[in-house]
Amino acid sequence: MNTTANADAMTAILRQISLDWNRTISYGRSYIAIFFAYVPGFTCLMAATGSTLDSVAGAAIGGAASGFLMLNITLFSYEQMNNHHWMNGIVPINRNHQILGRFAFLIACDLVAGLEVAASIACAGTIMHEPVKVTDAIDFAAMTVLTLVLLNAIVQPFLYRFSPYRAMAAIILSIGVIVGTVIGLRKALPEFEKTVEQLAEAISRHQAIALATFLIIDVLALVFSSKISLHIYGSKDI
C-alpha cells in the first residue's frame, strides 16, 4: 500500500514538473535563448570593458538570481492567464504534490543557474587574462544555487497568498525595509559595519563551513516554506 502511494506521489510530482517545464518553454525558443544568454553575454561584456573579476562575479550571481527568480513569478502569472488548457491531463493529484513539484522544478532551475554563473565567470576570466580556479568557479556556482533556493523559499508563500503583482510589491517592499534597516544601522552604529566586515572575512576564510551553514538554512527554509505554502494554498477554494 505504501509503495503504491509513494509511486502515485512521485508520479504526481513529476507531472507538476512537466507542467512547469511546458509553461516555461511555451514562450518560445527565442525567450529561452535570451533567458540563458543574457548573463554570459553581460558578464563577458563587463570583462571586455575593464571591470574587475569581483564585480563581474557579483553581476553574474545577481543577474542569474534576478532572472531565475522572475521565472518563479512567471509560472504563477501563467497559471492566472487561462492559457494552459492545452496541458490538461498532467495536473497533479493534490496541492501538496503541486507545491513539492514546483519546488523540485525550481531547484533544478537553480542548479542550471549555478552552472551558468560558473561558465560565465570562467569565460570572463579568460577574456580578462585572469584564469579562474575550478574551486572558485564551484564556490560561485554553489553560492548562486544556495542564494536562489533561499530566495525562492522566501518568495513562495507570498506567491501562493497574493497575486503575482501584489506578491512582487510585497517582496520589493520587504527588500526596501531590509536595505533601509541595514543602511540605518550602518550610520547609527559604527560597530555594525565593522562586525559585517569581520563576518565577511570569517566567511572567506572558512568557505566550506559557510556553505554548509547556508545549506542547512536552505533546507530549513524549504521545509518551513512548503508547510506555509500548503497551508495558504490548501485554504483557497479554487
mmCIF file of all heavy atoms in Angstrom, residues 77-97:
data_model
loop_
_atom_site.group_PDB
_atom_site.id
_atom_site.type_symbol
_atom_site.label_atom_id
_atom_site.label_comp_id
_atom_site.label_asym_id
_atom_site.label_seq_id
_atom_site.Cartn_x
_atom_site.Cartn_y
_atom_site.Cartn_z
ATOM 1 N N SER A 77 2.205 33.652 -12.707
ATOM 2 C CA SER A 77 1.455 34.540 -13.594
ATOM 3 C C SER A 77 0.766 33.740 -14.689
ATOM 4 O O SER A 77 -0.386 34.005 -15.050
ATOM 5 C CB SER A 77 2.395 35.579 -14.220
ATOM 6 O OG SER A 77 2.998 36.379 -13.232
ATOM 7 N N TYR A 78 1.475 32.756 -15.212
ATOM 8 C CA TYR A 78 0.932 31.944 -16.300
ATOM 9 C C TYR A 78 -0.309 31.185 -15.850
ATOM 10 O O TYR A 78 -1.258 31.008 -16.614
ATOM 11 C CB TYR A 78 1.998 30.969 -16.795
ATOM 12 C CG TYR A 78 1.763 30.481 -18.205
ATOM 13 C CD1 TYR A 78 2.394 31.089 -19.281
ATOM 14 C CD2 TYR A 78 0.901 29.423 -18.458
ATOM 15 C CE1 TYR A 78 2.181 30.650 -20.572
ATOM 16 C CE2 TYR A 78 0.674 28.976 -19.744
ATOM 17 C CZ TYR A 78 1.321 29.593 -20.799
ATOM 18 O OH TYR A 78 1.097 29.167 -22.069
ATOM 19 N N GLU A 79 -0.312 30.737 -14.599
ATOM 20 C CA GLU A 79 -1.456 29.988 -14.087
ATOM 21 C C GLU A 79 -2.728 30.828 -14.070
ATOM 22 O O GLU A 79 -3.834 30.299 -14.112
ATOM 23 C CB GLU A 79 -1.156 29.486 -12.674
ATOM 24 C CG GLU A 79 -0.127 28.367 -12.638
ATOM 25 C CD GLU A 79 0.229 27.973 -11.221
ATOM 26 O OE1 GLU A 79 -0.108 28.743 -10.303
ATOM 27 O OE2 GLU A 79 0.834 26.916 -11.032
ATOM 28 N N GLN A 80 -2.574 32.143 -13.989
ATOM 29 C CA GLN A 80 -3.729 33.025 -13.897
ATOM 30 C C GLN A 80 -4.127 33.628 -15.243
ATOM 31 O O GLN A 80 -5.021 34.456 -15.313
ATOM 32 C CB GLN A 80 -3.434 34.148 -12.900
ATOM 33 C CG GLN A 80 -3.137 33.630 -11.509
ATOM 34 C CD GLN A 80 -2.910 34.752 -10.513
ATOM 35 O OE1 GLN A 80 -3.212 35.903 -10.780
ATOM 36 N NE2 GLN A 80 -2.375 34.407 -9.357
ATOM 37 N N MET A 81 -3.451 33.211 -16.309
ATOM 38 C CA MET A 81 -3.732 33.773 -17.628
ATOM 39 C C MET A 81 -4.689 32.904 -18.443
ATOM 40 O O MET A 81 -5.024 33.242 -19.579
ATOM 41 C CB MET A 81 -2.419 33.952 -18.406
ATOM 42 C CG MET A 81 -1.537 35.052 -17.869
ATOM 43 S SD MET A 81 0.136 34.993 -18.551
ATOM 44 C CE MET A 81 -0.194 35.116 -20.296
ATOM 45 N N ASN A 82 -5.096 31.763 -17.881
ATOM 46 C CA ASN A 82 -6.012 30.847 -18.575
ATOM 47 C C ASN A 82 -5.471 30.407 -19.933
ATOM 48 O O ASN A 82 -6.220 30.209 -20.882
ATOM 49 C CB ASN A 82 -7.391 31.500 -18.765
ATOM 50 C CG ASN A 82 -8.063 31.791 -17.447
ATOM 51 O OD1 ASN A 82 -7.966 31.001 -16.511
ATOM 52 N ND2 ASN A 82 -8.730 32.925 -17.350
ATOM 53 N N ASN A 83 -4.147 30.252 -19.997
ATOM 54 C CA ASN A 83 -3.533 29.832 -21.255
ATOM 55 C C ASN A 83 -2.941 28.430 -21.171
ATOM 56 O O ASN A 83 -2.088 28.076 -21.964
ATOM 57 C CB ASN A 83 -2.413 30.813 -21.643
ATOM 58 C CG ASN A 83 -2.970 32.136 -22.113
ATOM 59 O OD1 ASN A 83 -4.086 32.203 -22.597
ATOM 60 N ND2 ASN A 83 -2.185 33.192 -21.963
ATOM 61 N N HIS A 84 -3.374 27.649 -20.201
ATOM 62 C CA HIS A 84 -2.764 26.337 -20.054
ATOM 63 C C HIS A 84 -3.770 25.199 -20.223
ATOM 64 O O HIS A 84 -3.571 24.105 -19.732
ATOM 65 C CB HIS A 84 -2.081 26.224 -18.685
ATOM 66 C CG HIS A 84 -2.988 26.491 -17.521
ATOM 67 N ND1 HIS A 84 -3.326 27.754 -17.127
ATOM 68 C CD2 HIS A 84 -3.625 25.647 -16.677
ATOM 69 C CE1 HIS A 84 -4.132 27.689 -16.076
ATOM 70 N NE2 HIS A 84 -4.335 26.428 -15.789
ATOM 71 N N HIS A 85 -4.870 25.449 -20.947
ATOM 72 C CA HIS A 85 -5.854 24.388 -21.148
ATOM 73 C C HIS A 85 -5.279 23.241 -21.977
ATOM 74 O O HIS A 85 -5.710 22.100 -21.839
ATOM 75 C CB HIS A 85 -7.095 24.960 -21.846
ATOM 76 C CG HIS A 85 -7.761 26.051 -21.065
ATOM 77 N ND1 HIS A 85 -8.289 25.845 -19.816
ATOM 78 C CD2 HIS A 85 -7.969 27.360 -21.348
ATOM 79 C CE1 HIS A 85 -8.814 26.981 -19.361
ATOM 80 N NE2 HIS A 85 -8.622 27.920 -20.274
ATOM 81 N N TRP A 86 -4.322 23.558 -22.842
ATOM 82 C CA TRP A 86 -3.746 22.521 -23.699
ATOM 83 C C TRP A 86 -2.894 21.537 -22.914
ATOM 84 O O TRP A 86 -2.462 20.529 -23.450
ATOM 85 C CB TRP A 86 -2.904 23.159 -24.798
ATOM 86 C CG TRP A 86 -1.820 24.053 -24.296
ATOM 87 C CD1 TRP A 86 -1.934 25.355 -23.927
ATOM 88 C CD2 TRP A 86 -0.446 23.715 -24.105
ATOM 89 N NE1 TRP A 86 -0.732 25.854 -23.518
ATOM 90 C CE2 TRP A 86 0.196 24.876 -23.623
ATOM 91 C CE3 TRP A 86 0.302 22.551 -24.298
ATOM 92 C CZ2 TRP A 86 1.552 24.898 -23.324
ATOM 93 C CZ3 TRP A 86 1.649 22.584 -24.000
ATOM 94 C CH2 TRP A 86 2.265 23.744 -23.518
ATOM 95 N N MET A 87 -2.679 21.823 -21.616
ATOM 96 C CA MET A 87 -1.884 20.916 -20.796
ATOM 97 C C MET A 87 -2.757 20.086 -19.865
ATOM 98 O O MET A 87 -2.281 19.516 -18.897
ATOM 99 C CB MET A 87 -0.852 21.709 -19.996
ATOM 100 C CG MET A 87 0.264 22.255 -20.861
ATOM 101 S SD MET A 87 1.474 23.227 -19.962
ATOM 102 C CE MET A 87 0.650 24.798 -19.874
ATOM 103 N N ASN A 88 -4.058 20.035 -20.140
ATOM 104 C CA ASN A 88 -4.942 19.198 -19.333
ATOM 105 C C ASN A 88 -4.497 17.737 -19.409
ATOM 106 O O ASN A 88 -4.068 17.256 -20.450
ATOM 107 C CB ASN A 88 -6.386 19.307 -19.828
ATOM 108 C CG ASN A 88 -7.001 20.647 -19.479
ATOM 109 O OD1 ASN A 88 -6.499 21.343 -18.608
ATOM 110 N ND2 ASN A 88 -8.077 21.006 -20.159
ATOM 111 N N GLY A 89 -4.628 17.051 -18.286
ATOM 112 C CA GLY A 89 -4.237 15.650 -18.246
ATOM 113 C C GLY A 89 -2.948 15.405 -17.502
ATOM 114 O O GLY A 89 -2.621 14.267 -17.182
ATOM 115 N N ILE A 90 -2.197 16.479 -17.221
ATOM 116 C CA ILE A 90 -0.969 16.297 -16.451
ATOM 117 C C ILE A 90 -1.021 17.105 -15.156
ATOM 118 O O ILE A 90 -0.014 17.386 -14.540
ATOM 119 C CB ILE A 90 0.279 16.687 -17.269
ATOM 120 C CG1 ILE A 90 0.212 18.146 -17.725
ATOM 121 C CG2 ILE A 90 0.457 15.789 -18.458
ATOM 122 C CD1 ILE A 90 1.497 18.610 -18.391
ATOM 123 N N VAL A 91 -2.226 17.480 -14.757
ATOM 124 C CA VAL A 91 -2.395 18.204 -13.498
ATOM 125 C C VAL A 91 -2.128 17.248 -12.340
ATOM 126 O O VAL A 91 -2.558 16.095 -12.371
ATOM 127 C CB VAL A 91 -3.816 18.786 -13.399
ATOM 128 C CG1 VAL A 91 -4.031 19.478 -12.063
ATOM 129 C CG2 VAL A 91 -4.064 19.753 -14.542
ATOM 130 N N PRO A 92 -1.405 17.686 -11.307
ATOM 131 C CA PRO A 92 -1.059 16.779 -10.209
ATOM 132 C C PRO A 92 -2.273 16.343 -9.396
ATOM 133 O O PRO A 92 -3.362 16.899 -9.517
ATOM 134 C CB PRO A 92 -0.096 17.615 -9.358
ATOM 135 C CG PRO A 92 -0.410 19.019 -9.704
ATOM 136 C CD PRO A 92 -0.829 19.014 -11.137
ATOM 137 N N ILE A 93 -2.063 15.341 -8.552
ATOM 138 C CA ILE A 93 -3.164 14.748 -7.797
ATOM 139 C C ILE A 93 -3.711 15.719 -6.758
ATOM 140 O O ILE A 93 -4.910 15.901 -6.636
ATOM 141 C CB ILE A 93 -2.696 13.442 -7.120
ATOM 142 C CG1 ILE A 93 -2.340 12.402 -8.189
ATOM 143 C CG2 ILE A 93 -3.766 12.894 -6.197
ATOM 144 C CD1 ILE A 93 -1.731 11.141 -7.638
ATOM 145 N N ASN A 94 -2.850 16.323 -5.985
ATOM 146 C CA ASN A 94 -3.331 17.255 -4.968
ATOM 147 C C ASN A 94 -2.366 18.428 -4.832
ATOM 148 O O ASN A 94 -1.312 18.476 -5.477
ATOM 149 C CB ASN A 94 -3.538 16.548 -3.623
ATOM 150 C CG ASN A 94 -2.259 15.922 -3.094
ATOM 151 O OD1 ASN A 94 -1.190 16.515 -3.172
ATOM 152 N ND2 ASN A 94 -2.363 14.718 -2.555
ATOM 153 N N ARG A 95 -2.735 19.354 -3.980
ATOM 154 C CA ARG A 95 -1.969 20.595 -3.876
ATOM 155 C C ARG A 95 -0.612 20.388 -3.215
ATOM 156 O O ARG A 95 0.340 21.115 -3.501
ATOM 157 C CB ARG A 95 -2.801 21.632 -3.107
ATOM 158 C CG ARG A 95 -4.056 22.025 -3.863
ATOM 159 C CD ARG A 95 -4.918 22.998 -3.093
ATOM 160 N NE ARG A 95 -6.138 23.274 -3.852
ATOM 161 C CZ ARG A 95 -7.081 24.111 -3.456
ATOM 162 N NH1 ARG A 95 -6.963 24.751 -2.312
ATOM 163 N NH2 ARG A 95 -8.148 24.308 -4.199
ATOM 164 N N ASN A 96 -0.528 19.411 -2.338
ATOM 165 C CA ASN A 96 0.764 19.112 -1.721
ATOM 166 C C ASN A 96 1.774 18.679 -2.778
ATOM 167 O O ASN A 96 2.920 19.143 -2.798
ATOM 168 C CB ASN A 96 0.595 18.026 -0.664
ATOM 169 C CG ASN A 96 1.888 17.747 0.078
ATOM 170 O OD1 ASN A 96 2.651 18.656 0.384
ATOM 171 N ND2 ASN A 96 2.146 16.486 0.359
ATOM 172 N N HIS A 97 1.337 17.794 -3.678
ATOM 173 C CA HIS A 97 2.220 17.353 -4.757
ATOM 174 C C HIS A 97 2.546 18.505 -5.703
ATOM 175 O O HIS A 97 3.653 18.585 -6.242
ATOM 176 C CB HIS A 97 1.565 16.211 -5.533
ATOM 177 C CG HIS A 97 1.331 14.992 -4.705
ATOM 178 N ND1 HIS A 97 0.243 14.164 -4.886
ATOM 179 C CD2 HIS A 97 2.029 14.467 -3.661
ATOM 180 C CE1 HIS A 97 0.293 13.169 -4.005
ATOM 181 N NE2 HIS A 97 1.363 13.339 -3.251
#
